[in-house]
Every structure is written in C-alpha cells, then in structure tokens.
Amino acid sequence: MKKAGSNEKSRWLFARAREVMPGGVNSPVRAFKAVGGQPLFIERGSGSHIWDADGKEYVDYVCSWGPLILGHAHPKVVAAVSEAAAKGMSFGAPTRGEVELAEAICKAFPSIEMVRMVNSGTEAVMSAVRLARAFTGKEKVVKFEGCYHGHSDGLLVKAGSGATTLGIPDSPGVPTAFAEQTISVPFNDIDSLATVFDTLGDGIACVVVEPVAGNMGVVPPKAGFLADLRELTHRRRVVLIFDEVITGFRVAYGGAQELFSVEPDLTCLGKIIGGGMPVGAYGGRRGMMEMVAPCGPVYQAGTLSGNPVAMAAGVETLRILCEPGTYERLEEMGRKVEEGMIEAAREAGVPIRLNRVGSMMTAFFTAGEVSDYATAKASDTARYAEFFRGMLERGVYLAPSQFEAAFISLAHSKEDLEATREAAEEAFKGMP
Ligand SMILES: *Cc1c(COP(=O)(O)O)cnc(C)c1O
C-alpha cells in the first residue's frame, strides 16, 4: 500500500472543481469541511479498496455512504449494468427490470405489497410523506432529532425549543410555513412523542423514523422503542414511515423491520437497492399504495424512474445478497472491527463509545452512552478529525465526519480488517 507522497492531482482537480461547483462538490459532506484538509478525488474502486487520483490505495469504509454492500465494481453487477446499458439507457416505458426489482423488494419486506421506484432517498421520503398526508387528510409530520430523511423542504427542519413546539427551518430557503408542519422529538424518547400526540393529536399525518439511526452516527433503537412507536401510531391512526434508505438490505435482508420484528405502514428504500446507481423506492400495503397515480389521485412521477440500467444493478445486487450466510458474515466482520477498535482505543487510553448494528457502526469520541442527538453531539469532533487523518495516512478511508456510519462490505477481507486494526492502534496512539 502506497502511503507517503503528495495529493497533487486531487488538489489540482479540487481547485478546478471549486471554480465551477459550489464548494467543489455535488454533496456537502464530501468537501471534508468537518475534518479539515482537502477531499481526495477517487479514480477507481475494486472490492473493498479505492484508489485516488494520485494513485494511493485505501481500504474503504464509506462504500459510497452505504450502497456498496458488495464492494466496488462487483463483476456480476458490472456485467448486469453493461448488458442493460448496451440494450438502451432509458425508454420512459415499462421494462422487465422494474418488475423484477419490485418483486424482490416485496418478497424481502412483508409490509410492502406494492412499491414505486424513484431516483433517490430524498424523493422516496418526500413522496411517502405526501401519500401519508393524502391517506389521513392530516398535515403535520413528526420526525426525530438527528435523523436525516433527505433534503426536501418539509424535512430539513430542526427542533424548536421544547418537545411540542413547531419546527424551524434548518436551511435558508425553507419557508417557515413548511417547517412549522414538522415537529421534531428526541430519538429513543417515546414519552416526548406521546406528549406531542396529546398536544397536537388530531393534526398528525405521520411519524417518520430511521429505525436504526445512521445520520447522527449509528444510534440503535432502545429495546422496545420501535414496538412502542408502532403501538402508539396504530392507536392514534397515524401513518408510521420507516426510512430504511440505509438499513434496508443492510442490517438484515428485510431491513430493520425484520431485525426488530416491527412493521411500519410505509417503507422508504434507496442506497443498496440501486447497487451504486441512483435509485429510491417507497412502498406499503396495497390499499395505501393504490392511492398513488395513475391508480389514485396522489401525483408522483419521474422521467428516469425505474431506469433499466439502475434496475439491473439493483436486481443483481439483491440476488447476490440472497445467498445463504450473507448477513452472518457481515455480522461477524462487524464484530471483528468493533472489537479491534475498542481494544485499540482502550490501549491508547482514548475514550470512545462504539455503536454498531451488523455491518454499520460509529466510534463516537465520547465516554458516555450515545442514544440520541444530544448525546451524539457530546462527541469531541476535533479528536475525530485527528483520528480520521491518522487513519487516512495509514490507508484507511473513513467518513469525513464524526456523525456518519462506517460500512463494511462483503468484499472486505480478513487482511483488510487486520490492517484496519493495526492502523487504528497507531492512529489512537498518535493522538494528543
Ligand atoms: C441517504 C439517506 C436519505 C437520502 O437519500 P438520497 O439518495 O441521498 O437522496 C434519506 N434517508 C436516509 C436514512 C438516508 O441515509
């Protein structure tokens, strides 16, 4: 593994990029702002490894932020994509791949009888919320602090002060009137949710949640939290939406709802179901999904939705994930990395808190338990940045922010995990 040397080419590309794209990137966290320094431009990937523009090699734990559960450029996925592309990139007419992916999703998720393909996770959640509002005739949306559901206006909202106050925009450009339709409560806090229900009871269309939070770093649901959520929403006739854009086909083939045996009304998917291509989907029971156009009045459409090349990548990815032993292997690898990290941190006397569900995990630089956004925020982000740079220098590519997950793929080898453990030992020891 090449370690030393300059980042000359990445720097040159980034200088050019900044002239023509805001911040030089097409999605903010890629810019390395949270950890300092300049982003690497990636030239290619193969299995668990990536190579940057200067030819340096890394073991990759970003995996495109979750989609690449098979690793980079899996030969069977590349073959499926090439074959589909050669037949035509897009028709704007129905194709076989859509049926195959929809069938695979419905088979994996018993709560999904019908599904609509879209092009991103953002679109999936935005559309599911629209459907929930149409179905209930109510308008308010409840979400949990620190959960991310894409960048649609109504979901880019932070908590007002106090559990039952209305949301305030998290970004300029989001109308106050939109943000006020969204109420945020602390993750893992069923009592706060009950209070919101009591106060605003009749106006609530849906509760949307990441069943395992991944966008404040990994925060698992407390025992009983999801079941309580199901019971409470059911009793109040509020639609429960699981945003499984990360967790779907990640924590189990049937997602967090399989792992924790709790069924939502609507499920949002993305990331893995596109096998690296831009895909999202939302689905649920037939009765609710038949409200979507052209069956019903809820409008939602997409020029490239169900794109045949993207469907081919998704179908092939799910086919491979179906093989026996997949999730056992991911769990086993996850446990190995977890143990290595905890041990390395302990030896170096660096307090960390490691949260993990299967092959997704976050090492928080804090001594306390991390169970919601407030406790995640207690992490020492400067220390994380230090650790991130230490790992990068040693050929391990982690997410450039404390509040993200590390993802393990089926392509990660024993040698990768061992190299990661050694890098972590050195990186922790080198910390001030
Ligand atoms: C990534 C993500 C989204 C947004 O998906 P995009 O494809 O980036 O629009 C939504 N929800 C969750 C839980 C995510 O992790």
Side-chain angles (χ1 to χ4, degrees), residues 120-122 148-150 210 215 243 245-246 271:
S120 67
T122 296
Y148 177 68
H149 304 292
E210 287 180 76
N215 287 287
D243 179 351
V245 170
I246 287 183
K271 298 197 167 112

Side-chain angles (χ1 to χ4, degrees), residues 25 28 51 153 180 204 208 223 374 429:
V25 292
W51 286 261
D153 280 343
E180 282 177 357
I204 299 171
V208 56
K429 277 190 189 128

Side-chain angles (χ1 to χ4, degrees), residues 350-352 363-367 378-380 383-384 387 402 428 431:
V350 177
I352 62 161
F364 292 96
F365 283 74
T366 176
S379 303
D380 187 336
R383 287 205 116 178
Y384 179 80
F387 180 69
Q402 167 75 94
F428 279 123
M431 283 173 62

